[in-house]
Amino acid sequence: MKIAILGFGTVGSGVYEIAKTLKNIEVKKVLEKDLSKINIATDNYDEIINDKEIELVVECMGGLHPAYEFIMKALQNKKSVVSANKAVIAKYLDEFLKTARENNVEFRFEASVGGGIPCLAGIQKIRRVENIDKFYGIFNGTSNFILDNMYRFENEFFTTLKNAQELGYAEADPSADIDGYDVTNKVIISFALAYDGFIKNDFPCFTLRNITKEDILYFKKQGFIAKYIGEATTKANDYEASVMLNLFPINALEGNVLSNYNIVTVQSHTMGEVKFYGQGAGKLPTANAIIQDILDIQEKISFNPISIEKKYTYSSNLFKHKYVIRSNEELKGDFEKVDKDGSNFYHYTKEITQADLLKLVDGKDYLVTKVSEVLA
Amino acid sequence: MKIAILGFGTVGSGVYEIAKTLKNIEVKKVLEKDLSKINIATDNYDEIINDKEIELVVECMGGLHPAYEFIMKALQNKKSVVSANKAVIAKYLDEFLKTARENNVEFRFEASVGGGIPCLAGIQKIRRVENIDKFYGIFNGTSNFILDNMYRFENEFFTTLKNAQELGYAEADPSADIDGYDVTNKVIISFALAYDGFIKNDFPCFTLRNITKEDILYFKKQGFIAKYIGEATTKANDYEASVMLNLFPINALEGNVLSNYNIVTVQSHTMGEVKFYGQGAGKLPTANAIIQDILDIQEKISFNPISIEKKYTYSSNLFKHKYVIRSNEELKGDFEKVDKDGSNFYHYTKEITQADLLKLVDGKDYLVTKVSEVLA
């Protein structure tokens, strides 16, 4: 199969590198402004679109535009598309799937969630047999690198972030990773495969920025490790989702996911908990997932055809959980326990809904954590 | 697709239960001596073999015979076979694959390793793109339940085994689980998919029986958790494999796999480490994996056609590792360190080969552990 790669950065060059080792994939053109990067580069997308031999386009540009337009144009010209671009997929998945269907081609995106980890395939495989009860996971390597380093070396958040930036684990503008937009996108994409519906980002997302060394040390004393978790579940046509710190017992698997690794858990009736762990980003793991999608398209492998026809409404009253809110003033409310540690107040809520939680937090920059319900 | 199930015990009834919920699988007959168990039961295998409508046979009988004969007969009669029976697969995989190929049908066995965990599919999927460098994992739930309970509740081995038997986590005859035969079979089966070769059980396997509460407590003091690990790797046409206790740092993922859960790690160049975690046994998880195989056969899904044509020889001199040997006498040898703890001597070897290790142990019932090389 002859393919084109849009963008020859980290992931695009990784796809090229792996494709070269395979007999059945030939990279014919690369869309890239810097034509010196590779001899098959072109800066004119029409050259790719008009090339009848190119059956599939790999979008590795990132960002919303022109990625959206380029994906749409490829699909409209009857070329399948594989993308790792979570931002554009979380926003336009419905259009991409509809356009792919209308043109009898495929749109695949395993690499957009969990990088190299085959977690979307895992969700689709389980869905072939039964419904998903819940999924949750560490979906972002940058935030996990920061939390793991804060925990192990007892450093402050911003020192650790700076260190992560120097080591290349965090972007110059880290907002997508540490404010939860990246995880939000991954929850939206995973949700589509797990529950056949396309939700918007209208569920709670709490930034990671508010966590301090004091918080980490306080939770450590209580036997907890904080991890940045995206999760979702449904009940009839309502759904609950969140992106926020969860507190895990120190012997929970999630608590022991080190460095920039990811772990994604899928729960269902017959399987119980299945977890997928690995590199959630990076050149070759992400490229591998893209190559796997290309091979699946080539071999017509599909566990569970993607449909997002079901309609779900976000409900802030669906389930009750326990939370711990840290502020530097004592909050009013009916708490299970309030711990004072230094100048911090840690408020342990009873089982409350997300609506109750949002009311308590009231838009303030408190540290908000959920008490994880995992077995340990 | 119309199928038959051989054996209506735990797993067989689980397959029936899940198949009932699916439109495209119909269980037409069940081979079962006790005809009262289900209305479609027959005690005459020929009724299944001669039924032209039955395209696929699920073997859930366990044991070597007559499972071997029944699988062969189904394949010879052009019925695909799905099995979870690791003992018979590890012994006769070559014959089963050859007979399936000759009769243009499929032989699949995802459920034989890791129960519900899609780890064999994971290996095959990676193999589609590149070679596997190494695999290792906790492949046996019974032994993990025992080790986890010994670690957490500081009980003796045989007290814990008895408790596991009472709870249904261990068989009345626990030998397959605690002496390593079960893990050995799973290593042989995983090896076939990872390296395209069919090895025999001529690699070292050390029983779990020798571990004591004192060992667990000693290792805990050193910051280690012992887990029972099967693993294999190759170099050209040689392979190294083992089934034995490995010592993990307390924050390694393996160290935090609780109860009877399994975890399987696959290492490759582009993917790094990918881990698959879940229920390694049990009625519904195992049945789910069997159903997945049936659906894959039905939908003609195959990531990497199974071939075991490559020849590998076991080598005890392939790689060097560090080991800790516990005995109640001091051994002669060039050790890195020897710790005396109570009446126990813990000998920390330098980097040595399996041949060196076997010479040191010399068939005695010492506790033999490998120092795991995982990152933590």
Side-chain angles (χ1 to χ4, degrees):
Chain A
M1 178 185 263
K2 292 197 166 83
I3 71 167
I5 300 173
L6 313 188
F8 205 66
T10 308
V11 175
S13 61
V15 172
Y16 180 76
E17 199 176 297
I18 299 179
K20 265 199 312 189
T21 69
L22 299 172
K23 271 175 282 184
N24 38 359
I25 302 177
E26 183 196 326
V27 183
K28 193 173 174 193
K29 289 203 173 83
V30 169
L31 184 71
E32 173 60 49
K33 273 181 211 151
D34 180 355
L35 297 177
S36 70
K37 272 194 178 172
I38 180 164
N39 61 346
I40 53 172
T42 170
D43 56 4
N44 178 2
Y45 189 40
D46 285 337
E47 268 191 39
I48 289 167
I49 287 296
N50 295 329
D51 188 329
K52 296 285 175 212
E53 280 190 354
I54 292 172
E55 290 179 68
L56 186 147
V57 167
V58 177
E59 185 269 308
C60 300
M61 308 166 65
L64 291 178
H65 303 283
Y68 164 76
E69 289 76 12
F70 282 16
I71 290 172
M72 287 297 281
K73 199 165 178 185
L75 294 170
Q76 285 156 352
N77 284 275
K78 302 199 186 303
K79 298 181 196 303
S80 290
V81 173
V82 175
S83 172
N85 181 340
K86 45 243 165 198
V88 81
I89 300 168
K91 187 148 188 191
Y92 298 110
L93 179 60
D94 50 351
E95 288 188 52
F96 294 155
L97 290 176
K98 184 166 170 277
T99 310
R101 205 169 37 242
E102 285 168 359
N103 290 281
N104 209 18
V105 289
E106 294 281 334
F107 178 69
R108 301 274 183 116
F109 45 91
E110 174 69 63
S112 67
V113 178
I117 308 168
C119 55
L120 293 185
I123 287 175
Q124 284 185 286
K125 202 165 169 179
I126 296 172
R127 279 284 286 112
R128 183 161 75 149
V129 173
E130 63 185 330
N131 292 326
I132 306 287
D133 293 334
K134 181 181 176 178
F135 70 81
Y136 65 92
I138 298 172
F139 285 97
N140 181 276
T142 305
S143 57
N144 201 63
F145 180 90
I146 292 171
L147 286 171
D148 179 43
N149 275 265
M150 287 180 77
Y151 184 86
R152 287 202 277 174
F153 308 115
E154 303 188 351
N155 284 327
E156 280 296 354
F157 180 82
F158 283 102
T159 324
T160 314
L161 171 60
K162 200 162 161 265
N163 182 25
Q165 286 168 323
E166 280 161 13
L167 289 168
Y169 286 120
E171 310 266 345
D173 175 0
S175 181
D177 291 321
I178 66 175
D179 293 325
Y181 311 134
D182 177 76
V183 180
T184 296
N185 287 335
K186 289 166 176 170
V187 167
I188 290 171
I189 295 169
S190 306
F191 189 99
L193 297 183
Y195 301 112
D196 294 350
F198 190 40
I199 57 175
K200 295 291 167 195
N201 59 352
D202 43 15
F203 49 90
C205 168
F206 293 96
T207 180
L208 186 68
R209 280 180 202 260
N210 299 339
I211 197 161
T212 65
K213 177 176 151 185
E214 288 172 348
D215 294 325
I216 299 272
L217 292 176
Y218 169 78
F219 289 134
K220 205 184 245 189
K221 270 188 292 178
Q222 318 302 315
F224 286 129
I225 300 185
K227 293 289 184 179
Y228 203 46
I229 297 292
E231 62 179 303
T233 184
T234 63
K235 191 176 173 184
N237 294 316
D238 288 334
Y239 81 93
E240 176 181 290
S242 60
V243 175
M244 64 192 299
L245 284 159
N246 278 25
L247 301 176
F248 289 93
I250 52 163
N251 65 345
L253 277 194
E254 281 71 15
N256 294 279
V257 171
L258 309 182
S259 187
N260 62 335
Y261 278 85
N262 286 192
I263 194 165
V264 177
T265 300
V266 188
Q267 271 182 12
S268 64
H269 170 60
T270 72
M271 295 286 281
E273 288 211 329
V274 181
K275 294 179 192 281
F276 301 90
Y277 163 99
Q279 286 283 359
K283 175 178 176 167
L284 292 176
T286 307
N288 185 303
I290 288 172
I291 293 284
Q292 294 286 1
D293 271 349
I294 298 172
L295 294 173
D296 278 352
I297 291 173
Q298 214 169 14
E299 295 161 20
K300 300 193 193 313
I301 290 177
S302 168
F303 287 124
N304 194 50
I306 304 168
S307 154
I308 51 168
E309 298 305 308
K310 286 197 193 161
K311 298 293 167 219
Y312 291 93
T313 311
Y314 167 67
S315 165
S316 61
N317 287 297
L318 214 50
F319 297 104
K320 290 184 175 184
H321 310 282
K322 291 187 174 188
Y323 300 92
V324 179
I325 306 167
R326 185 268 296 147
S327 59
N328 50 19
E329 54 186 354
E330 189 164 352
L331 304 180
K332 280 177 194 146
D334 181 21
F335 297 107
E336 205 161 70
K337 179 172 93 170
V338 180
D339 249 13
K340 190 163 190 307
D341 187 82
S343 62
N344 291 323
F345 293 87
Y346 293 93
H347 307 78
Y348 289 70
T349 76
K350 299 182 170 174
E351 299 264 355
I352 61 172
T353 63
Q354 287 191 338
D356 298 332
L357 174 70
L358 292 167
K359 210 180 296 171
L360 274 170
V361 176
D362 192 27
K364 305 267 186 14
D365 64 347
Y366 305 147
L367 182 79
V368 184
T369 66
K370 183 184 166 196
V371 181
S372 161
E373 286 129 8
V374 299
L375 303 166
Chain B
M1 179 184 265
K2 291 199 167 80
I3 71 166
I5 301 172
L6 313 187
F8 206 67
T10 307
V11 174
S13 62
V15 172
Y16 179 76
E17 198 175 297
I18 299 178
K20 266 199 313 188
T21 68
L22 299 172
K23 272 175 279 183
N24 37 358
I25 302 178
E26 184 197 324
V27 183
K28 194 174 174 194
K29 289 201 174 83
V30 169
L31 184 70
E32 173 59 48
K33 273 181 212 153
D34 181 354
L35 297 176
S36 70
K37 271 194 180 173
I38 180 165
N39 61 346
I40 53 172
T42 170
D43 55 5
N44 177 3
Y45 189 39
D46 285 337
E47 268 192 39
I48 289 167
I49 288 297
N50 296 328
D51 188 329
K52 296 285 176 215
E53 279 190 356
I54 292 172
E55 290 179 67
L56 185 147
V57 168
V58 177
E59 186 268 308
C60 301
M61 308 166 66
L64 291 178
H65 303 284
Y68 164 76
E69 289 76 13
F70 282 16
I71 290 172
M72 288 297 281
K73 199 165 179 185
L75 294 171
Q76 285 156 353
N77 283 275
K78 303 199 185 302
K79 297 181 196 307
S80 290
V81 173
V82 175
S83 172
N85 181 341
K86 46 242 164 197
V88 81
I89 300 168
K91 187 147 189 195
Y92 298 111
L93 179 59
D94 49 353
E95 289 189 51
F96 294 155
L97 289 176
K98 184 166 169 275
T99 310
R101 205 169 38 240
E102 284 168 0
N103 289 281
N104 209 17
V105 290
E106 294 280 334
F107 178 69
R108 301 274 182 118
F109 44 91
E110 174 69 62
S112 67
V113 178
I117 308 168
C119 55
L120 293 186
I123 287 175
Q124 284 185 284
K125 202 166 169 178
I126 295 172
R127 280 283 287 109
R128 183 160 74 151
V129 173
E130 63 186 330
N131 292 326
I132 306 287
D133 293 334
K134 182 181 176 178
F135 70 81
Y136 65 91
I138 297 172
F139 285 97
N140 182 276
T142 304
S143 56
N144 201 63
F145 181 89
I146 292 171
L147 286 171
D148 179 43
N149 275 266
M150 288 181 76
Y151 185 86
R152 286 201 279 174
F153 308 116
E154 303 188 350
N155 284 326
E156 279 296 353
F157 180 81
F158 283 103
T159 323
T160 313
L161 171 60
K162 198 160 163 266
N163 181 26
Q165 286 168 323
E166 281 161 10
L167 289 168
Y169 285 119
E171 310 267 346
D173 176 359
S175 181
D177 291 321
I178 66 175
D179 293 325
Y181 311 133
D182 177 77
V183 180
T184 295
N185 288 335
K186 289 167 176 170
V187 168
I188 290 172
I189 296 169
S190 306
F191 189 99
L193 297 183
Y195 301 113
D196 294 351
F198 189 39
I199 57 174
K200 295 291 167 195
N201 59 351
D202 43 14
F203 50 90
C205 170
F206 293 96
T207 179
L208 186 67
R209 280 180 202 259
N210 298 340
I211 197 161
T212 64
K213 177 177 149 183
E214 289 172 348
D215 294 326
I216 299 272
L217 292 176
Y218 169 77
F219 290 132
K220 204 184 245 190
K221 270 188 294 178
Q222 317 304 315
F224 286 129
I225 299 185
K227 293 289 183 179
Y228 202 45
I229 297 292
E231 61 179 302
T233 185
T234 63
K235 190 176 173 183
N237 294 316
D238 288 335
Y239 81 93
E240 175 181 290
S242 60
V243 175
M244 64 192 300
L245 285 159
N246 279 26
L247 300 176
F248 289 94
I250 52 163
N251 66 345
L253 277 194
E254 282 70 16
N256 294 279
V257 171
L258 308 183
S259 187
N260 63 334
Y261 279 84
N262 286 192
I263 194 165
V264 177
T265 300
V266 189
Q267 272 182 11
S268 64
H269 170 61
T270 72
M271 295 287 281
E273 288 210 328
V274 182
K275 293 179 193 282
F276 300 90
Y277 163 99
Q279 286 284 357
K283 175 178 176 167
L284 292 176
T286 308
N288 185 304
I290 289 172
I291 293 282
Q292 294 285 0
D293 271 350
I294 299 173
L295 293 173
D296 278 353
I297 291 173
Q298 214 170 15
E299 295 162 20
K300 301 193 194 311
I301 291 177
S302 168
F303 287 124
N304 193 49
I306 304 169
S307 155
I308 50 169
E309 298 305 308
K310 286 198 192 160
K311 299 292 167 219
Y312 290 93
T313 312
Y314 167 65
S315 164
S316 62
N317 287 298
L318 214 51
F319 296 105
K320 291 184 175 184
H321 311 282
K322 292 187 174 189
Y323 300 92
V324 179
I325 305 167
R326 185 267 297 146
S327 59
N328 50 18
E329 53 185 356
E330 190 163 353
L331 304 179
K332 280 179 192 145
D334 181 22
F335 296 108
E336 204 160 70
K337 179 172 91 170
V338 181
D339 249 13
K340 189 162 190 311
D341 187 81
S343 61
N344 291 322
F345 293 86
Y346 293 92
H347 307 77
Y348 290 70
T349 76
K350 299 183 170 174
E351 300 264 355
I352 61 172
T353 64
Q354 287 191 339
D356 298 332
L357 175 70
L358 291 167
K359 209 179 296 169
L360 274 171
V361 176
D362 192 27
K364 306 267 186 16
D365 65 346
Y366 305 148
L367 182 79
V368 184
T369 65
K370 182 184 167 196
V371 181
S372 160
E373 286 128 8
V374 300
L375 304 165

